[in-house]
Amino acid sequence: MREPRWRDGPEAGRYLRPYAITGGRTRHSQHAFTLITLVVARSEQESDPGHLEPEAAQIMDLCRDRALALAEIAAFLDLPISVVKVLCGDLLDAELILVQSPPGRESQPSVELIERVMDGIRQL
């Protein structure tokens, strides 16, 4: 009996690689990121990258001069977003990157406040 196609040939690395990159982790234990969480690398003087995995080093290179959203990083590196989240969590733990998450629901204005502002604008 022949094994399933995804286990043989050049496709095998594509399915096994994300698992190998993250050590089998599907999410970071301490950090919850969204697709639009911004990531920027700390300056070289502030951080010691030491020995990084190739994908983590690529994230550092991409984010060295500008902040990028996690979704953008995943697209540039052609990696699943779950892998990028795990790697960014590791980089954040090592204090090699800075992140800015989008504001949560608790910091958004209430519907009542927005309606009052709109009423005020209409009266102008």
Side-chain angles (χ1 to χ4, degrees):
M1 181 173 161
R2 187 166 137 73
E3 289 191 56
R5 179 179 175 168
W6 62 270
R7 288 189 177 180
D8 58 3
E11 297 90 14
R14 183 160 177 83
Y15 292 101
L16 298 176
R17 189 167 183 249
Y19 178 86
I21 293 170
T22 63
R25 297 175 293 160
T26 57
R27 62 182 58 139
H28 199 273
S29 61
Q30 296 177 13
H31 307 290
F33 300 113
T34 66
L35 294 175
I36 59 173
T37 297
L38 295 176
V39 176
V40 66
R42 296 174 67 94
S43 70
E44 292 182 36
Q45 293 82 17
E46 295 178 22
S47 62
D48 177 26
H51 177 63
L52 293 177
E53 296 295 324
E55 294 81 9
Q58 288 176 320
I59 291 172
M60 294 291 293
D61 288 340
L62 279 174
C63 300
R64 182 129 358 252
D65 297 322
R66 63 185 171 161
L68 291 175
L70 285 178
E72 293 174 300
I73 296 168
F76 281 125
L77 299 181
D78 195 26
L79 288 173
I81 191 69
S82 59
V83 171
V84 173
K85 287 179 178 182
V86 170
L87 293 173
C88 285
D90 293 344
L91 291 171
L92 186 58
D93 284 347
E95 299 180 352
L96 296 174
I97 61 171
L98 300 171
V99 298
Q100 181 177 0
S101 295
R105 289 200 179 267
E106 64 280 351
S107 65
Q108 294 178 349
S110 68
V111 173
E112 179 185 314
L113 176 62
I114 293 171
E115 287 173 349
R116 288 189 350 216
V117 169
M118 289 173 60
D119 289 341
I121 291 171
R122 286 186 191 120
Q123 291 177 4
L124 291 176

PDB file of all heavy atoms in Angstrom, residues 45-64:
ATOM      1  N   GLN A  45      22.355  48.130  19.324  1.00  0.00           N
ATOM      2  CA  GLN A  45      23.048  48.479  20.551  1.00  0.00           C
ATOM      3  C   GLN A  45      22.264  48.019  21.785  1.00  0.00           C
ATOM      4  O   GLN A  45      22.835  47.740  22.818  1.00  0.00           O
ATOM      5  CB  GLN A  45      23.266  50.004  20.653  1.00  0.00           C
ATOM      6  CG  GLN A  45      24.225  50.553  19.632  1.00  0.00           C
ATOM      7  CD  GLN A  45      23.565  50.787  18.276  1.00  0.00           C
ATOM      8  OE1 GLN A  45      22.345  50.843  18.161  1.00  0.00           O
ATOM      9  NE2 GLN A  45      24.375  50.923  17.242  1.00  0.00           N
ATOM     10  N   GLU A  46      20.929  47.953  21.677  1.00  0.00           N
ATOM     11  CA  GLU A  46      20.080  47.594  22.806  1.00  0.00           C
ATOM     12  C   GLU A  46      19.897  46.097  22.963  1.00  0.00           C
ATOM     13  O   GLU A  46      19.435  45.642  23.996  1.00  0.00           O
ATOM     14  CB  GLU A  46      18.689  48.223  22.644  1.00  0.00           C
ATOM     15  CG  GLU A  46      18.668  49.719  22.681  1.00  0.00           C
ATOM     16  CD  GLU A  46      17.261  50.249  22.460  1.00  0.00           C
ATOM     17  OE1 GLU A  46      16.280  49.519  22.691  1.00  0.00           O
ATOM     18  OE2 GLU A  46      17.141  51.409  22.056  1.00  0.00           O
ATOM     19  N   SER A  47      20.216  45.332  21.959  1.00  0.00           N
ATOM     20  CA  SER A  47      19.918  43.908  22.017  1.00  0.00           C
ATOM     21  C   SER A  47      21.117  43.077  21.596  1.00  0.00           C
ATOM     22  O   SER A  47      21.995  43.525  20.879  1.00  0.00           O
ATOM     23  CB  SER A  47      18.730  43.587  21.103  1.00  0.00           C
ATOM     24  OG  SER A  47      19.060  43.908  19.771  1.00  0.00           O
ATOM     25  N   ASP A  48      21.106  41.851  22.089  1.00  0.00           N
ATOM     26  CA  ASP A  48      22.134  40.888  21.712  1.00  0.00           C
ATOM     27  C   ASP A  48      21.442  39.696  21.074  1.00  0.00           C
ATOM     28  O   ASP A  48      20.898  38.847  21.780  1.00  0.00           O
ATOM     29  CB  ASP A  48      22.922  40.456  22.951  1.00  0.00           C
ATOM     30  CG  ASP A  48      23.957  39.391  22.622  1.00  0.00           C
ATOM     31  OD1 ASP A  48      24.418  39.341  21.467  1.00  0.00           O
ATOM     32  OD2 ASP A  48      24.305  38.607  23.535  1.00  0.00           O
ATOM     33  N   PRO A  49      21.401  39.643  19.732  1.00  0.00           N
ATOM     34  CA  PRO A  49      20.656  38.572  19.075  1.00  0.00           C
ATOM     35  C   PRO A  49      21.228  37.185  19.328  1.00  0.00           C
ATOM     36  O   PRO A  49      20.515  36.209  19.231  1.00  0.00           O
ATOM     37  CB  PRO A  49      20.709  38.944  17.597  1.00  0.00           C
ATOM     38  CG  PRO A  49      21.835  39.876  17.455  1.00  0.00           C
ATOM     39  CD  PRO A  49      22.024  40.549  18.788  1.00  0.00           C
ATOM     40  N   GLY A  50      22.518  37.096  19.675  1.00  0.00           N
ATOM     41  CA  GLY A  50      23.102  35.781  19.921  1.00  0.00           C
ATOM     42  C   GLY A  50      22.894  34.861  18.741  1.00  0.00           C
ATOM     43  O   GLY A  50      22.983  35.265  17.599  1.00  0.00           O
ATOM     44  N   HIS A  51      22.578  33.627  19.029  1.00  0.00           N
ATOM     45  CA  HIS A  51      22.339  32.652  17.974  1.00  0.00           C
ATOM     46  C   HIS A  51      20.837  32.521  17.753  1.00  0.00           C
ATOM     47  O   HIS A  51      20.110  32.057  18.613  1.00  0.00           O
ATOM     48  CB  HIS A  51      22.937  31.306  18.354  1.00  0.00           C
ATOM     49  CG  HIS A  51      22.658  30.246  17.340  1.00  0.00           C
ATOM     50  ND1 HIS A  51      23.132  30.311  16.056  1.00  0.00           N
ATOM     51  CD2 HIS A  51      21.931  29.113  17.411  1.00  0.00           C
ATOM     52  CE1 HIS A  51      22.714  29.258  15.378  1.00  0.00           C
ATOM     53  NE2 HIS A  51      21.984  28.516  16.190  1.00  0.00           N
ATOM     54  N   LEU A  52      20.377  32.964  16.607  1.00  0.00           N
ATOM     55  CA  LEU A  52      18.957  32.884  16.263  1.00  0.00           C
ATOM     56  C   LEU A  52      18.735  31.847  15.181  1.00  0.00           C
ATOM     57  O   LEU A  52      19.599  31.619  14.339  1.00  0.00           O
ATOM     58  CB  LEU A  52      18.454  34.237  15.742  1.00  0.00           C
ATOM     59  CG  LEU A  52      18.409  35.392  16.710  1.00  0.00           C
ATOM     60  CD1 LEU A  52      17.957  36.657  15.977  1.00  0.00           C
ATOM     61  CD2 LEU A  52      17.463  35.094  17.848  1.00  0.00           C
ATOM     62  N   GLU A  53      17.561  31.256  15.215  1.00  0.00           N
ATOM     63  CA  GLU A  53      17.154  30.394  14.116  1.00  0.00           C
ATOM     64  C   GLU A  53      17.052  31.253  12.859  1.00  0.00           C
ATOM     65  O   GLU A  53      16.814  32.456  12.948  1.00  0.00           O
ATOM     66  CB  GLU A  53      15.790  29.757  14.423  1.00  0.00           C
ATOM     67  CG  GLU A  53      15.802  28.824  15.615  1.00  0.00           C
ATOM     68  CD  GLU A  53      16.665  27.596  15.368  1.00  0.00           C
ATOM     69  OE1 GLU A  53      16.690  27.090  14.235  1.00  0.00           O
ATOM     70  OE2 GLU A  53      17.321  27.159  16.324  1.00  0.00           O
ATOM     71  N   PRO A  54      17.220  30.689  11.671  1.00  0.00           N
ATOM     72  CA  PRO A  54      17.180  31.488  10.438  1.00  0.00           C
ATOM     73  C   PRO A  54      15.892  32.304  10.280  1.00  0.00           C
ATOM     74  O   PRO A  54      15.932  33.460   9.878  1.00  0.00           O
ATOM     75  CB  PRO A  54      17.313  30.453   9.322  1.00  0.00           C
ATOM     76  CG  PRO A  54      17.929  29.263   9.957  1.00  0.00           C
ATOM     77  CD  PRO A  54      17.522  29.285  11.401  1.00  0.00           C
ATOM     78  N   GLU A  55      14.756  31.716  10.628  1.00  0.00           N
ATOM     79  CA  GLU A  55      13.493  32.430  10.476  1.00  0.00           C
ATOM     80  C   GLU A  55      13.394  33.599  11.456  1.00  0.00           C
ATOM     81  O   GLU A  55      12.889  34.662  11.109  1.00  0.00           O
ATOM     82  CB  GLU A  55      12.308  31.473  10.681  1.00  0.00           C
ATOM     83  CG  GLU A  55      12.202  30.405   9.615  1.00  0.00           C
ATOM     84  CD  GLU A  55      13.152  29.221   9.844  1.00  0.00           C
ATOM     85  OE1 GLU A  55      13.783  29.129  10.907  1.00  0.00           O
ATOM     86  OE2 GLU A  55      13.246  28.381   8.927  1.00  0.00           O
ATOM     87  N   ALA A  56      13.889  33.425  12.670  1.00  0.00           N
ATOM     88  CA  ALA A  56      13.889  34.514  13.654  1.00  0.00           C
ATOM     89  C   ALA A  56      14.825  35.632  13.198  1.00  0.00           C
ATOM     90  O   ALA A  56      14.502  36.819  13.336  1.00  0.00           O
ATOM     91  CB  ALA A  56      14.296  33.991  15.025  1.00  0.00           C
ATOM     92  N   ALA A  57      15.958  35.260  12.625  1.00  0.00           N
ATOM     93  CA  ALA A  57      16.888  36.272  12.096  1.00  0.00           C
ATOM     94  C   ALA A  57      16.248  37.033  10.933  1.00  0.00           C
ATOM     95  O   ALA A  57      16.433  38.250  10.804  1.00  0.00           O
ATOM     96  CB  ALA A  57      18.185  35.602  11.647  1.00  0.00           C
ATOM     97  N   GLN A  58      15.460  36.352  10.117  1.00  0.00           N
ATOM     98  CA  GLN A  58      14.759  37.020   9.016  1.00  0.00           C
ATOM     99  C   GLN A  58      13.724  38.010   9.549  1.00  0.00           C
ATOM    100  O   GLN A  58      13.574  39.100   9.002  1.00  0.00           O
ATOM    101  CB  GLN A  58      14.075  35.994   8.114  1.00  0.00           C
ATOM    102  CG  GLN A  58      15.036  35.194   7.267  1.00  0.00           C
ATOM    103  CD  GLN A  58      14.316  34.134   6.458  1.00  0.00           C
ATOM    104  OE1 GLN A  58      13.388  33.480   6.943  1.00  0.00           O
ATOM    105  NE2 GLN A  58      14.745  33.967   5.211  1.00  0.00           N
ATOM    106  N   ILE A  59      13.046  37.646  10.624  1.00  0.00           N
ATOM    107  CA  ILE A  59      12.088  38.573  11.237  1.00  0.00           C
ATOM    108  C   ILE A  59      12.827  39.811  11.729  1.00  0.00           C
ATOM    109  O   ILE A  59      12.381  40.941  11.510  1.00  0.00           O
ATOM    110  CB  ILE A  59      11.318  37.891  12.388  1.00  0.00           C
ATOM    111  CG1 ILE A  59      10.370  36.825  11.840  1.00  0.00           C
ATOM    112  CG2 ILE A  59      10.544  38.930  13.214  1.00  0.00           C
ATOM    113  CD1 ILE A  59       9.717  35.960  12.892  1.00  0.00           C
ATOM    114  N   MET A  60      13.962  39.610  12.369  1.00  0.00           N
ATOM    115  CA  MET A  60      14.752  40.747  12.861  1.00  0.00           C
ATOM    116  C   MET A  60      15.180  41.648  11.705  1.00  0.00           C
ATOM    117  O   MET A  60      15.112  42.871  11.809  1.00  0.00           O
ATOM    118  CB  MET A  60      15.986  40.240  13.624  1.00  0.00           C
ATOM    119  CG  MET A  60      15.670  39.500  14.905  1.00  0.00           C
ATOM    120  SD  MET A  60      15.011  40.571  16.178  1.00  0.00           S
ATOM    121  CE  MET A  60      16.435  41.583  16.526  1.00  0.00           C
ATOM    122  N   ASP A  61      15.612  41.060  10.607  1.00  0.00           N
ATOM    123  CA  ASP A  61      16.032  41.846   9.441  1.00  0.00           C
ATOM    124  C   ASP A  61      14.862  42.631   8.849  1.00  0.00           C
ATOM    125  O   ASP A  61      15.012  43.802   8.499  1.00  0.00           O
ATOM    126  CB  ASP A  61      16.647  40.944   8.364  1.00  0.00           C
ATOM    127  CG  ASP A  61      18.012  40.415   8.755  1.00  0.00           C
ATOM    128  OD1 ASP A  61      18.655  41.010   9.650  1.00  0.00           O
ATOM    129  OD2 ASP A  61      18.441  39.407   8.166  1.00  0.00           O
ATOM    130  N   LEU A  62      13.709  41.988   8.724  1.00  0.00           N
ATOM    131  CA  LEU A  62      12.534  42.656   8.160  1.00  0.00           C
ATOM    132  C   LEU A  62      12.091  43.849   9.007  1.00  0.00           C
ATOM    133  O   LEU A  62      11.667  44.868   8.477  1.00  0.00           O
ATOM    134  CB  LEU A  62      11.361  41.686   8.057  1.00  0.00           C
ATOM    135  CG  LEU A  62      11.309  40.746   6.876  1.00  0.00           C
ATOM    136  CD1 LEU A  62      10.153  39.767   7.042  1.00  0.00           C
ATOM    137  CD2 LEU A  62      11.152  41.525   5.583  1.00  0.00           C
ATOM    138  N   CYS A  63      12.189  43.695  10.311  1.00  0.00           N
ATOM    139  CA  CYS A  63      11.650  44.700  11.232  1.00  0.00           C
ATOM    140  C   CYS A  63      12.709  45.653  11.773  1.00  0.00           C
ATOM    141  O   CYS A  63      12.446  46.405  12.709  1.00  0.00           O
ATOM    142  CB  CYS A  63      10.952  43.999  12.392  1.00  0.00           C
ATOM    143  SG  CYS A  63       9.589  42.960  11.872  1.00  0.00           S
ATOM    144  N   ARG A  64      13.888  45.622  11.204  1.00  0.00           N
ATOM    145  CA  ARG A  64      14.975  46.456  11.718  1.00  0.00           C
ATOM    146  C   ARG A  64      14.702  47.947  11.495  1.00  0.00           C
ATOM    147  O   ARG A  64      14.949  48.761  12.364  1.00  0.00           O
ATOM    148  CB  ARG A  64      16.295  46.060  11.062  1.00  0.00           C
ATOM    149  CG  ARG A  64      17.439  46.842  11.577  1.00  0.00           C
ATOM    150  CD  ARG A  64      18.654  46.120  12.064  1.00  0.00           C
ATOM    151  NE  ARG A  64      18.709  44.698  12.079  1.00  0.00           N
ATOM    152  CZ  ARG A  64      18.665  43.985  13.225  1.00  0.00           C
ATOM    153  NH1 ARG A  64      18.501  44.577  14.379  1.00  0.00           N
ATOM    154  NH2 ARG A  64      18.772  42.688  13.189  1.00  0.00           N
TER     155      ARG A  64
END
